[in-house]
Amino acid sequence: MSTELLAPLDLAFWHLESDAHPMHLGALAVFAPVPGVAARDLLELLGARAAAIPRLRMRVRDVLLPVGGAAWCTDKDFDVHRHVRRVVLPGADFMTETTRLAGVLMERPLGRGLPPWEMYLLDSPGDGPFAVLVKLHHALADGMRAVAIGAGIFDQIASTRAGRSAERRRAPVPPRSWLPGPYEAAGMAMDRLGDVGRALGVGASVVRASRLDLRATTALTARSSGTRRLATVRLDAEAVQRVRRTEGGTANDVLLAVVAGALRRWMLERGEPLPVADPRALVPVSRRRPGGAATGNRLSAYLLGLPVGEPDARERLRLVRTVMDRNKAAGPLRGAGAVAVLADQLPALAHRFGAPLAGNAARMLFDILVTSVPLPRSALSFGGCPLRAVYPMAPLARGQSLAVALSTYGGQVQVGLVADGKALPDLDRLASAVHEELCDLHALVPTVPAPHEGRLAGSC
């Protein structure tokens, strides 16, 4: 992997970034301590495993062709110590200090002359738990690929990759022509015509769905300050599944309804009037095919009005399920939410000069990002220390104050809330509202616990 052009959507994410709007994804992984494993050893292990991931040795450079384009190239001066650092937290509450510091670190844009990623080992002076904060630029990967890249630090993934790397080194590489044959060229031309037609349809949907009257400002669409605050929530995954089994739909439908209900109770508690129009959520959808390219972004999205005006929790879930069923029936390549598909069809020069305009237009389309990030189901560890939780973090678009990311691991749904620190100083209250909303929704549905069922932290 020496040189590789950035795909159009990757290029869009690269140019959308500004100091106040860093475009990196994040994850906060929390581990239980193991006697005899020192922080210095963990830091050395973290650096060694990160350095062994080829993708993390790549940086972005401009190219002459295509005009306005950029490419990934191997950083010949790569030094993992520029990217991996240790921070010792004060002896206060571990999770409180960890989330506070993670919010501060998420404010800082990644260096653009280096491979665009950072990892931090966050630990306390004693022998308590520790965390690893991972920051990856959105141009490097979408959520699914970010998980695949970041998972390289875990014991189970690192050992598997080491074996595969050895096999690849032994396997002969057949010669390959970079020029397509006549049938391939014809197929590429037909695919391009189909892409253009699809992009025109998406573009028309985006225009129809855009809101031109943006005078109403809520906490979700306050003026950006460039600050970041992080809050985390743990939900009982079995409680989510019980609601799903009783009410129908998917676990993701239940979680979207929980987010809607949490926003409602949070707005009412802070004395903020409920919006006349439901806030719009952009719900990303992966377009990645099994066995497809392992790099770059392959995304579309659905648009969903979060029914915060509906007072009944079960009715909110029904409304969410109805709209999501409609979105899925249309498919991820249709509708205004597929704006990423439109971005994928634009030339490099358009992304270079049109990124500021596109970034400012995000509020015309949606108010909040709500994304689900899949994680491996098997138990994971780092340096022999068991993984206890992973809180994903999504970037904020211009003019927006909140992004919600969810992942499921170890029988829990872990929620990462990333907010503009000045617009949402009471983010911890919203985090509590998320947990309360699931408990209230769960209490409303006629469910029967399974025999001998245990209760997890964060359960209702």
Side-chain angles (χ1 to χ4, degrees):
M1 188 186 296
S2 55
T3 301
E4 170 196 333
L5 286 175
L6 268 72
L9 187 53
D10 302 344
L11 195 62
F13 285 131
W14 187 248
H15 290 307
L16 276 171
E17 184 170 66
S18 67
D19 288 343
H21 299 91
M23 289 300 298
H24 49 254
L25 310 168
L28 183 66
V30 181
F31 298 87
V34 169
V37 179
R40 182 179 300 177
D41 297 331
L42 292 172
L43 183 64
E44 183 178 344
L45 181 63
L46 183 62
R49 288 187 175 167
I53 300 172
R55 195 68 184 170
L56 297 185
R57 292 175 170 266
M58 308 293 285
R59 66 177 181 86
V60 176
R61 65 173 178 84
D62 292 336
V63 295
L64 294 176
L65 293 174
V67 177
W72 293 105
C73 64
T74 302
D75 185 0
K76 296 180 180 179
D77 300 319
F78 176 78
D79 182 357
V80 74
H81 297 98
R82 295 176 178 173
H83 303 267
V84 176
R85 302 175 181 90
R86 179 191 177 197
V87 179
V88 179
L89 302 170
D93 179 79
F94 174 75
M95 279 307 299
T96 299
E97 285 300 313
T98 298
T99 53
R100 180 197 64 79
L101 180 59
V104 172
L105 295 173
M106 289 296 288
E107 290 180 10
R108 304 174 184 175
L110 295 162
R112 293 177 76 85
L114 298 172
W117 65 275
E118 292 174 350
M119 294 186 189
Y120 292 87
L121 176 67
L122 312 176
D123 68 304
S124 301
D127 297 327
F130 67 94
V132 173
L133 174 65
V134 179
K135 293 169 56 177
L136 298 174
H137 200 285
H138 211 334
L140 190 65
D142 55 27
M144 289 186 68
R145 299 317 306 172
V147 169
I149 293 172
I153 71 170
F154 295 121
D155 299 335
Q156 295 77 5
I157 310 297
S159 59
T160 301
R161 283 183 173 176
R164 289 177 179 173
S165 297
E167 290 178 6
R168 283 196 295 267
R169 285 194 296 268
R170 291 193 297 266
V173 179
R176 178 180 182 271
S177 172
W178 291 100
L179 295 175
Y183 292 106
E184 290 178 291
M188 291 168 62
M190 292 300 293
D191 288 343
R192 173 55 65 180
L193 288 174
D195 289 343
V196 170
R198 185 161 51 242
L200 290 173
V202 172
S205 299
V206 170
V207 172
R208 287 194 300 268
S210 297
R211 299 165 298 183
L212 300 181
D213 185 0
L214 300 178
R215 289 173 296 180
T217 299
T218 68
L220 297 180
T221 55
R223 186 177 181 86
S224 300
S225 68
T227 60
R228 293 292 180 271
R229 185 182 294 269
L230 171 67
T232 61
V233 191
R234 288 190 296 172
L235 305 175
D236 185 352
E238 181 56 31
V240 174
Q241 291 297 336
R242 288 182 200 147
V243 175
R244 177 195 64 79
R245 288 192 293 266
T246 303
E247 299 296 308
T250 67
N252 202 46
D253 294 340
V254 176
L255 292 170
L256 287 167
V258 166
V259 171
L263 288 173
R264 174 186 170 83
R265 69 173 63 208
W266 171 72
M267 289 177 178
L268 292 174
E269 285 180 4
R270 71 195 328 244
E272 183 175 323
L274 296 177
V276 176
D278 290 332
R280 287 178 173 178
L282 189 74
V283 183
V285 180
S286 176
R287 294 192 294 128
R288 195 172 300 281
R289 297 175 180 176
T295 58
N297 286 268
R298 297 289 297 169
L299 289 173
S300 183
Y302 296 139
L303 275 182
L304 167 71
L306 295 173
V308 300
E310 171 55 52
D312 183 80
R314 294 179 73 180
E315 179 62 14
R316 283 196 296 269
L317 175 54
R318 188 194 69 79
L319 292 171
V320 166
R321 190 175 68 244
T322 299
V323 176
M324 289 302 288
D325 286 346
R326 189 182 306 133
N327 281 331
K328 293 167 189 173
L333 300 182
R334 297 183 180 181
V339 64
V341 179
L342 179 63
D344 237 350
Q345 312 306 318
L346 297 178
L349 199 60
H351 288 302
R352 182 175 290 270
F353 293 106
L357 179 62
N360 290 324
R363 188 186 161 196
M364 297 174 63
L365 197 61
F366 66 98
D367 303 297
I368 179 176
L369 177 72
V370 184
T371 182
S372 295
V373 181
L375 293 178
R377 294 186 178 183
S378 58
L380 299 172
S381 62
F382 172 62
C385 302
L387 176 67
R388 291 301 183 221
V390 181
Y391 301 100
M393 290 171 277
L396 293 181
R398 293 174 190 264
Q400 294 170 349
S401 305
L402 176 66
V404 181
L406 312 102
S407 63
T408 301
Y409 176 79
Q412 297 177 338
V413 179
Q414 285 113 24
V415 186
L417 305 173
V418 176
D420 184 285
K422 291 187 177 179
L424 274 70
D426 55 345
L427 185 64
D428 288 340
R429 180 61 209 125
L430 178 57
S432 297
V434 171
H435 180 260
E436 293 163 5
E437 181 63 23
L438 175 61
C439 290
D440 285 358
L441 178 59
H442 181 256
L444 289 175
V445 298
T447 56
V448 179
H452 312 296
E453 187 175 71
R455 295 173 64 84
L456 297 169
S459 63
C460 299

